[in-house]
């Protein structure tokens, strides 16, 4: 079975400051990793994904994440946030099942960017 | 762009009613999913379907059923609504190419059961 833990439920941050959102997963098999963002009153949008290759993955809106296999982590970072980054962020993992590509989500991290 | 459309943004129903939530996608995706989202719990998978008329239980299927008669449409059914089913419901779809395919989400239906 897979599980995903997002270590911070809420992260307040000032505009133009850096932010890091932590994500740890547990799985007995190789995984694919995703970060999604949910803006208020909307569904989830894909920010970035790690499938294989380089452990540093760049996504949309200036976000990046680093896959660390030994620590089973996939932390999300942005060097300088904007007010528009206020949203909830979800880390998710998918195992190697052939059909259905089920995702297991973390509990989410709510980011509040303050002016 | 992929469009996943959920029929209602807000819905209010009474306990014991049979409730239908509809989801339509326009990208010919093989896979479709229903999640519920609750604060602090993230998204939990209710049911998913990887082909027409095929369905599989997710992590919390109790009290729910699904129907997929056409490839583009996936319906979630609350057989007899209860107050603990008050939640945000999200539909998603993806290509069937394997677990590396990202999912595309609708805007959600906020369901209140009174």
């Amino acid at each position: 079975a897979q599980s995903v833990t997002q270590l911070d439920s809420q992260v307040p941050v000032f505009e133009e400051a850096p932010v890091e959102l932590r994500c740890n997963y547990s799985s007995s098999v190789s995984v694919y990793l995703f970060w999604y963002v949910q803006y208020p009153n909307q569904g989830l949008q894909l920010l970035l994904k790690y499938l294989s290759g380089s452990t540093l993955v760049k996504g949309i809106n200036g976000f990046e994440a680093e896959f660390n296999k030994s620590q089973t982590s996939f932390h999300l970072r942005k060097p300088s946030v904007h007010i528009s980054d206020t949203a909830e962020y979800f880390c998710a993992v998918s195992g190697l099942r052939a059909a259905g590509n089920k995702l297991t989500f973390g509990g989410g991290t709510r980011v509040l960017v303050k002016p | 762009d992929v469009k996943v459309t959920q029929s209602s943004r807000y819905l209010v129903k009474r306990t014991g009613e049979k409730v239908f939530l509809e989801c339509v996608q326009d990208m010919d995706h093989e896979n479709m999913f229903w999640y519920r989202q609750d604060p602090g719990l993230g998204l939990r998978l209710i049911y998913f379907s990887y082909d027409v008329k095929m369905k599989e239980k997710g992590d919390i299927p109790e009290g729910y059923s699904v129907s997929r008669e056409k490839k583009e449409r996936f319906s979630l059914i609350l057989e007899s609504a209860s107050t603990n089913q008050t939640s945000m419901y999200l539909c998603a779809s993806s290509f069937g190419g394997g677990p590396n395919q990202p999912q595309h989400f609708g805007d959600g239906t906020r369901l209140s059961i009174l």
Side-chain angles (χ1 to χ4, degrees):
Chain A
Q2 296 163 158
S3 67
V4 179
T5 302
Q6 292 184 240
L7 296 158
D8 306 294
S9 59
Q10 292 189 64
V11 174
V13 58
F14 286 105
E15 195 173 15
E16 298 183 6
V19 70
E20 178 179 80
L21 309 184
R22 297 178 291 168
C23 172
N24 286 90
Y25 69 92
S26 67
S27 176
S28 58
V29 298
S30 297
V31 295
Y32 300 111
L33 294 154
F34 304 82
W35 275 100
Y36 285 85
V37 59
Q38 185 180 33
Y39 298 106
N41 297 316
Q42 293 185 25
L44 277 68
Q45 299 175 30
L46 181 68
L47 266 181
L48 49 79
K49 59 185 178 182
Y50 173 78
L51 305 180
S52 64
S54 172
T55 57
L56 185 63
V57 180
K58 293 192 183 297
I60 62 171
N61 300 340
F63 284 93
E64 63 182 31
E66 185 153 20
F67 171 60
N68 187 318
K69 188 174 182 179
S70 63
Q71 297 187 4
T72 61
S73 69
F74 190 52
H75 299 335
L76 180 71
R77 302 184 185 96
K78 185 170 183 178
S80 176
V81 296
H82 302 290
I83 295 289
S84 59
D85 292 321
T86 293
E88 189 156 20
Y89 294 79
F90 293 94
C91 182
V93 61
S94 175
L96 293 182
R97 180 196 163 104
N101 68 318
K102 287 171 57 175
L103 288 175
T104 300
F105 284 86
T109 298
R110 198 172 292 272
V111 173
L112 176 60
V113 181
K114 303 177 181 180
Chain B
D1 270 356
V2 176
K3 187 72 175 174
V4 179
T5 303
Q6 294 184 230
S7 54
S8 305
R9 291 300 303 273
Y10 301 94
L11 208 53
V12 180
K13 297 291 183 180
R14 296 202 174 276
T15 54
E17 281 192 68
K18 191 169 187 176
V19 181
F20 293 85
L21 303 184
E22 306 286 345
C23 175
V24 176
Q25 50 95 3
D26 66 357
M27 278 300 292
D28 203 35
H29 283 167
E30 289 82 7
N31 299 326
M32 296 189 75
F33 308 83
W34 275 107
Y35 295 91
R36 66 176 280 175
Q37 180 181 8
D38 299 289
L41 298 178
L43 278 72
R44 292 178 292 166
L45 182 64
I46 305 171
Y47 267 97
F48 68 100
S49 168
Y50 50 89
D51 202 351
V52 176
K53 297 190 187 293
M54 304 300 289
K55 61 186 179 184
E56 194 165 320
K57 292 179 180 178
D59 301 316
I60 51 165
E62 296 78 19
Y64 303 94
S65 63
V66 290
S67 173
R68 193 166 180 202
E69 296 295 320
K70 293 184 178 181
K71 191 174 185 180
E72 67 271 18
R73 186 179 297 271
F74 192 36
S75 303
L76 179 69
I77 304 156
L78 285 66
E79 297 291 344
S80 178
S82 64
T83 54
N84 63 11
Q85 292 177 310
T86 291
S87 187
M88 170 71 90
Y89 290 86
L90 290 166
C91 175
S93 70
S94 74
F95 283 115
N100 59 337
Q101 295 294 327
Q103 294 182 15
H104 301 266
F105 286 82
D107 285 338
T109 296
R110 190 167 293 281
L111 176 64
S112 296
I113 307 296
L114 304 179

